[in-house]
Amino acid sequence: MLTAVEIETGPAPSLAVIWLHGLGADGHDFEPIVPELKLGFAVRFVFPHAPVRPVTINGGMAMRAWYDILGFDRKAREDDAGIRASATAVTALIDRELERGLHADRVVLAGFSQGGAIALHTALREPRALGGVIALSTYLSLAGTLAVERSAANERLPIFMAHGTSDNVLPLALGESSRRTLEAQGYAVEWHAYPMAHSVCREEVSAIGSWLTSLPRIRS
């Protein structure tokens, strides 16, 4: 089981958000976002720490990473084994929320950059219908396998995607192409673009809070 930072905003949380950090960060990275979301209901936020592993594009330096990145060219071979291993680890966190008494549709996956790629990959293949997925400044990993691996249970999964128009790490075009791929396969994506680099902005956080509040299972 991945170790994680956990924050509960009130007793008996009605929603769990499993939020994955980006390359080289850790589970503390998005802790400050919790009060800024201004949610009017109790939520359990789970911020797991990625395993420490060598990252090829950083000269093999070991750091927290959800998978290896083998090249700067986005057409380079992807770390299939690493992506799937992290997806399995995140699935174990979903299992734990169910053991705590939540239904799967009260669990949301979220992530930034690498973490967003794992959140998307896991949610779209998860056999239980989840509450939604938040994918920030990221892209669709292993996109070529989605058509055959996608889960029917999550065909109507609420998807929130956001990207910076000045992102020089993962260009806006990469996020846009991922969105188009999802839409071409029938997914409904709420898309936002903000005048920022590879980061998160106040307007984006406000939009995430509104989106979480609007989820069908929260309104019911």
Side-chain angles (χ1 to χ4, degrees), residues 54-207:
V55 176
T56 300
I57 61 168
N58 288 338
M61 182 182 300
M63 62 186 64
R64 292 198 180 277
W66 297 107
Y67 51 90
D68 191 13
I69 301 177
L70 304 173
F72 290 104
D73 182 354
R74 290 298 157 185
K75 295 181 180 179
R77 181 172 61 86
E78 296 182 82
D79 178 16
D80 186 294
I83 291 169
R84 294 184 188 279
S86 284
T88 298
V90 172
T91 299
L93 293 177
I94 298 172
D95 293 341
R96 186 171 64 176
E97 293 309 314
L98 272 58
E99 291 167 1
R100 288 168 161 174
L102 290 178
H103 293 290
D105 59 7
R106 292 275 185 170
V107 178
V108 170
L109 298 187
F112 174 80
S113 195
Q114 252 206 350
I118 293 298
L120 269 177
H121 177 93
T122 306
L124 298 174
R125 292 162 174 80
E126 167 59 43
R128 299 160 294 194
L130 297 175
V133 62
I134 299 168
L136 309 178
S137 301
T138 191
Y139 62 98
L140 192 61
S141 62
L142 301 182
T145 70
L146 179 59
V148 295
E149 294 178 353
R150 58 184 289 174
S151 166
N154 281 299
E155 287 180 346
R156 298 183 181 277
L157 179 74
I159 300 174
F160 180 103
M161 293 187 74
H163 216 102
T165 57
S166 302
D167 193 326
N168 61 354
V169 176
L170 295 175
L172 176 64
L174 190 60
E176 290 177 328
S177 66
S178 295
R179 179 197 69 187
R180 288 193 297 270
T181 298
L182 289 170
E183 290 174 338
Q185 297 200 33
Y187 294 101
V189 179
E190 181 175 324
W191 172 261
H192 298 261
Y194 299 97
M196 63 180 183
H198 194 60
S199 59
V200 177
C201 66
R202 187 181 302 275
E203 294 80 7
E204 181 180 20
V205 173
S206 177

Side-chain angles (χ1 to χ4, degrees), residues 22-37:
L23 177 66
D26 63 21
H28 295 285
D29 200 34
F30 279 90
E31 276 186 274
I33 207 171
V34 172
E36 296 178 12
L37 291 169

Side-chain angles (χ1 to χ4, degrees), residues 1-10 13 15-19 26-32 34-35 43-49 89-90 92-100 102:
M1 181 71 67
L2 294 168
T3 58
V5 177
E6 292 195 10
I7 300 174
E8 292 189 0
T9 64
L15 181 74
V17 179
I18 300 171
W19 200 306
D26 63 21
H28 295 285
D29 200 34
F30 279 90
E31 276 186 274
V34 172
V43 181
R44 179 185 299 114
F45 287 89
V46 179
F47 299 107
H49 304 295
V90 172
L93 293 177
I94 298 172
D95 293 341
R96 186 171 64 176
E97 293 309 314
L98 272 58
E99 291 167 1
R100 288 168 161 174
L102 290 178

